Amino acid sequence: MKFFVDSADLEQITDLNNIGLVDGVTTNPSIIAKSGRDFKDVVAAICALVEGPVSAEVTAVEADKMVNEGRELCKIAENICIKLPLTLDGLKACSVLSREGASTNMTLCFSPNQALLAAKCGATFVSPFIGRLDDISLDGLELIADICTIYDNYGFDTEVLAASIRNVNHVKECALAGADVMTAPPGVIRQLAAHPLTDKGLTAFLEDWKGTGQSIL
Ligand code: G3P
């Protein structure tokens, strides 16, 4: 499972990258707004930080304008991935940009049928939003499982990029379902390592070691 960081916080991305937990980065207009930085500047900085794909979202809603914005964003760096909304215009832009060799990420996916369309339009990634479905008492993880089944049935190349991940259980369930990628905020990624019994066991080990009076170095 590839880990993408869902953030534009360069320090947080760097810290996780130094651990070896960053295979890519995803952003969206809300994340960019939260960063308080110039869109192209912060995306360029992220692209220089990580080797993997960096998703940057178009803001036009008409296909031809999305294509123009996508071509402009592709100039930023080799590892740019163009994020497009799962609308008919977004799908049309995806078909054009994918045929031109651009990496594409169809976002705001909330149904298996939308994911089916993304695959048929040659999307590199599809981003089903788990948390936002859970927020309205629907089953976001069921969507991930359904898309994985459909993609496996037909051997689609499009990768399932589980998004809108809010907690460590989402990550576990996405891994069990076979999602290719998960993108999560830095805090959720860090939380994956946490377990009280690990802390308790380490404390006990170190206490016992201290009693030996020995040192390794
Ligand atoms: O990349 C999509 C993700 O940022 C959306 O997450 O928590 O705003 O639903 P959220």
Side-chain angles (χ1 to χ4, degrees):
M1 180 186 240
K2 285 179 266 187
F3 276 27
F4 288 6
V5 185
D6 199 31
S7 174
D9 184 319
L10 300 182
E11 188 176 342
Q12 294 265 21
I13 294 168
T14 301
D15 289 347
L16 288 170
N17 202 26
N18 290 339
I19 300 172
L21 292 177
V22 179
D23 299 305
V25 174
T26 52
T27 71
N28 62 41
S30 302
I31 286 175
I32 296 300
K34 185 181 175 185
S35 77
R37 292 193 54 182
D38 174 83
F39 178 27
K40 291 182 181 178
D41 287 350
V42 71
V43 168
I46 297 170
C47 287
L49 267 182
V50 304
E51 290 179 16
V54 176
S55 287
E57 190 160 341
V58 300
T59 55
V61 294
E62 295 165 3
D64 57 344
K65 292 183 172 68
M66 287 178 179
V67 170
N68 291 337
E69 286 187 0
R71 288 168 177 159
E72 185 64 23
L73 292 174
C74 282
K75 295 173 185 172
I76 293 174
E78 285 293 314
N79 54 333
I80 276 283
C81 177
I82 307 305
K83 231 184 189 184
L84 300 154
L86 237 159
T87 61
L88 287 174
D89 279 90
L91 289 162
K92 184 175 180 181
C94 179
S95 293
V96 173
L97 289 167
S98 297
R99 278 198 296 268
E100 292 177 356
S103 175
T104 51
N105 179 358
M106 294 304 294
T107 190
L108 289 167
C109 174
F110 294 99
S111 77
N113 284 332
Q114 285 182 319
L116 185 53
L117 294 177
K120 288 188 66 65
C121 291
T124 310
F125 302 103
V126 66
S127 290
F129 278 31
I130 300 167
R132 296 193 190 188
L133 286 169
D134 290 359
D135 290 346
I136 59 170
S137 301
L138 295 177
D139 189 340
L141 290 166
E142 183 180 38
L143 174 61
I144 300 295
D146 288 348
I147 296 170
C148 288
T149 299
I150 291 169
Y151 281 18
D152 288 348
N153 287 347
Y154 297 97
F156 285 126
D157 293 329
T158 301
E159 294 187 53
V160 180
L161 197 174
S164 188
I165 284 181
R166 305 277 177 78
N167 57 62
V168 297
N169 183 59
H170 281 166
V171 178
K172 181 195 76 173
E173 293 300 333
C174 286
L176 287 170
D180 302 285
V181 189
M182 75 90 194
T183 193
V188 172
I189 297 176
R190 290 182 175 284
Q191 193 61 29
L192 291 168
H195 198 292
L197 291 181
T198 303
D199 296 341
K200 183 180 178 184
L202 183 57
T203 299
F205 284 161
L206 296 178
E207 277 301 310
D208 292 343
W209 174 250
K210 189 176 176 184
T212 71
Q214 299 180 59
S215 67
I216 294 173
L217 297 177

